[in-house]
Amino acid sequence: MAYVAFQEIGAARSATDAALARQGAAAIRADARLSALEWQVVALARRDRVSSLREPSRLTRAISSIFGETRNPRLADPSLEALRRMAVLSWHHGYSVPSHEVRAFLASGYTADQYELLVDSIAVALSDSRRGIRAIAAE
């Protein structure tokens, strides 16, 4: 059974609302929305490592066959997997995502506005979490 931290999913939604408030609703077009399922993928990608984007090596596959299957964070839907890849890279690298990854994200059916919304929302969530850590440390 999988555990889902629903407060993180809510945090991703509140980060989106904060980004909309800062930029104004007119700055983001109507097609720059992500569904609730897509926001869940973004929230779950926060805990994934960058190494989860690579194909497992032969050694990893051999060890998995001996000791049992390891966790596979990849998604079956190609569109959602492209979103997960972009979210993992954005959680770890912010706006510094390789251009070939952005092209693959756009080729999977997402728009440039959705990419901006995704990265801006992640940046807001990261800055809010850092602000919270600083407030706790100051007490």
Side-chain angles (χ1 to χ4, degrees), residues 20-35:
L20 285 172
R22 270 197 308 186
Q23 296 176 350
I28 298 178
R29 296 189 314 188
D31 63 341
R33 302 276 180 197
L34 294 175
S35 69

Side-chain angles (χ1 to χ4, degrees), residues 71-135:
R71 180 179 171 269
N72 181 7
R74 293 172 192 252
L75 301 174
D77 185 307
S79 177
L80 291 177
E81 177 59 20
L83 177 65
R84 185 190 77 83
R85 291 180 64 84
M86 185 55 60
V88 169
L89 290 168
S90 297
W91 280 116
H92 289 279
H93 302 295
Y95 293 100
S96 302
V97 176
S99 60
H100 65 88
E101 292 289 349
V102 176
R103 283 193 298 272
F105 178 74
L106 297 175
S108 68
Y110 291 99
T111 65
D113 289 332
Q114 287 173 318
Y115 169 70
E116 289 179 24
L117 177 65
L118 169 71
V119 178
D120 289 344
S121 299
I122 289 173
V124 168
L126 286 174
S127 69
D128 287 347
S129 65
R130 288 182 187 134
R131 190 175 306 125
I133 290 170
R134 281 190 226 124

Side-chain angles (χ1 to χ4, degrees), residues 46-66:
R46 184 173 192 168
R47 295 192 183 263
D48 288 347
R49 296 179 178 179
V50 177
S51 62
S52 71
L53 304 178
R54 294 190 295 268
E55 287 290 324
S57 66
R58 282 194 278 171
L59 177 63
T60 303
R61 283 183 273 156
I63 290 173
S64 296
S65 67
I66 294 170

